[in-house]
Amino acid sequence: MNYQIENKLALVTGSTKGIGFATALILAREGAQVILSGRSEASVSDAINRLLAQVPSAKVTGFVGDLSQAEAVDALVRKHPALDILVNNLGIFDPKAFEDIPDADWQHFFDVNVMSGVRLARAYLPGMKQRDWGRIVFISSESAIQIPVEMIHYGMTKTAQLALSRGLAESCAGTNVTVNSVLPGPTRSEGVSEFVNKLSGGQSFEDFEKTFFEQARPSSLLKRFTTPEEVANMVAYVCSAAASATTGAALRVDGGVVRSAF
């Protein structure tokens, strides 16, 4: 399939690893100009080198900054005043009992997972509307629909992203700008290793995976963690010109975890 995004400028936040990096890689292969973002010079440089090793012809640059902070978003917009594609992938998660989550954690999760996307969309959406073409994607989660008891604060932010993406899509009615959410299920990204260490009790990953899908996510039809590449395939499609009739949608790549046909 020709995604028809050659030379489109795409920003993928939180893209030095995991779903973000996998998405940036596909977009680069499709000819888009890609901005990789991360919080350290070392991680961004490493990600650029890894991407170029796989796509030597890629048009890729980097941005270093904490995009949960308004100052970093302002700096990014000064450097790149216009985008064609915005993938809001930046996010954090941490298993913690509700009773142990302090106010500061609630605020931090909201700033990282929600406000980063709010500020970036606010900065770039007007230009997309003016040019009458654009793609905005929020990487939400199946946890937006089935709030995980071990991460209620995380689930709350993922639900907020669904409301945000649908509202923005409504604001783009009649244009060639689309706004969607993609909802991965449990995904075997680098960040999952820490999650597994906290919950596994010393089990091997394979044993933990089996137990996790038997007990914590028994509704899964896949019965395994998805890969970042499996999720990125959906994200990249939604970013393409081929997905012109898909907007205001919450698209699941959850391995069948959510028990709903709709």
Side-chain angles (χ1 to χ4, degrees):
M1 179 183 292
N2 182 358
Y3 280 10
Q4 301 174 54
I5 55 171
E6 188 172 0
N7 293 320
K8 298 290 190 186
L9 182 59
L11 167 67
V12 184
T13 67
S15 48
T16 59
K17 58 185 179 181
I19 293 169
F21 181 80
T23 299
L25 183 62
I26 296 176
L27 296 179
R29 282 178 176 153
E30 291 294 323
Q33 304 175 60
V34 177
I35 305 166
L36 295 176
S37 81
R39 287 177 293 182
S40 75
E41 188 70 51
S43 65
V44 172
S45 295
D46 177 68
I48 290 173
N49 290 336
R50 284 186 285 117
L51 192 150
L52 288 172
Q54 296 182 65
V55 188
S57 62
K59 292 159 281 192
V60 58
T61 188
F63 176 81
V64 179
D66 180 359
L67 292 175
S68 71
Q69 302 299 310
E71 296 80 5
V73 172
D74 291 343
L76 172 63
V77 174
R78 286 195 296 271
K79 187 175 181 180
H80 301 285
L83 292 178
D84 300 299
I85 297 168
L86 168 61
V87 180
N88 287 305
N89 174 69
L90 179 63
I92 56 173
F93 62 92
D94 183 34
K96 187 178 288 188
F98 173 75
E99 295 84 354
D100 297 330
I101 305 172
D103 286 2
D105 283 10
W106 286 95
Q107 188 64 58
H108 182 52
F109 268 67
F110 195 78
D111 287 340
V112 176
N113 294 1
V114 181
M115 288 307 300
S116 60
V118 167
R119 294 184 180 112
L120 288 165
R122 188 169 58 207
Y124 289 116
L125 186 56
M128 292 179 181
K129 289 179 177 179
Q130 184 177 14
R131 295 186 299 276
D132 197 31
W133 200 95
R135 299 287 184 267
I136 298 178
V137 184
F138 290 85
I139 307 304
S140 181
S141 168
E142 52 89 12
S143 295
I145 299 173
Q146 297 185 161
I147 306 296
V149 67
E150 73 276 8
M151 295 191 297
I152 294 174
H153 54 339
Y154 171 76
M156 175 274 296
T157 64
K158 296 290 114 174
T159 305
Q161 286 182 311
L162 298 188
L164 177 58
S165 62
R166 178 67 200 192
L168 291 179
E170 295 275 356
S171 80
C172 297
T175 74
N176 289 308
V177 179
T178 68
V179 187
N180 294 285
S181 292
V182 171
L183 285 65
T187 304
R188 190 170 183 173
S189 61
E190 289 88 335
V192 165
S193 297
E194 185 178 347
F195 176 82
V196 169
N197 288 337
K198 286 190 174 184
L199 297 181
S200 68
Q203 288 179 300
S204 68
F205 185 90
E206 291 71 21
D207 288 342
F208 172 81
E209 182 176 51
K210 184 174 185 295
T211 302
F212 181 80
F213 285 98
E214 286 176 349
Q215 298 179 6
R217 298 294 188 276
S219 59
S220 170
L221 304 179
L222 203 60
K223 299 300 182 187
R224 64 167 174 81
F225 287 94
T226 59
T227 68
E229 292 74 21
E230 287 172 322
V231 178
N233 285 331
M234 175 67 83
V235 180
Y237 168 71
V238 177
C239 292
S240 75
S244 55
T246 302
T247 189
L251 304 165
R252 302 200 316 250
V253 195
D254 64 329
V257 169
V258 177
R259 277 190 169 135
S260 170
F262 305 103

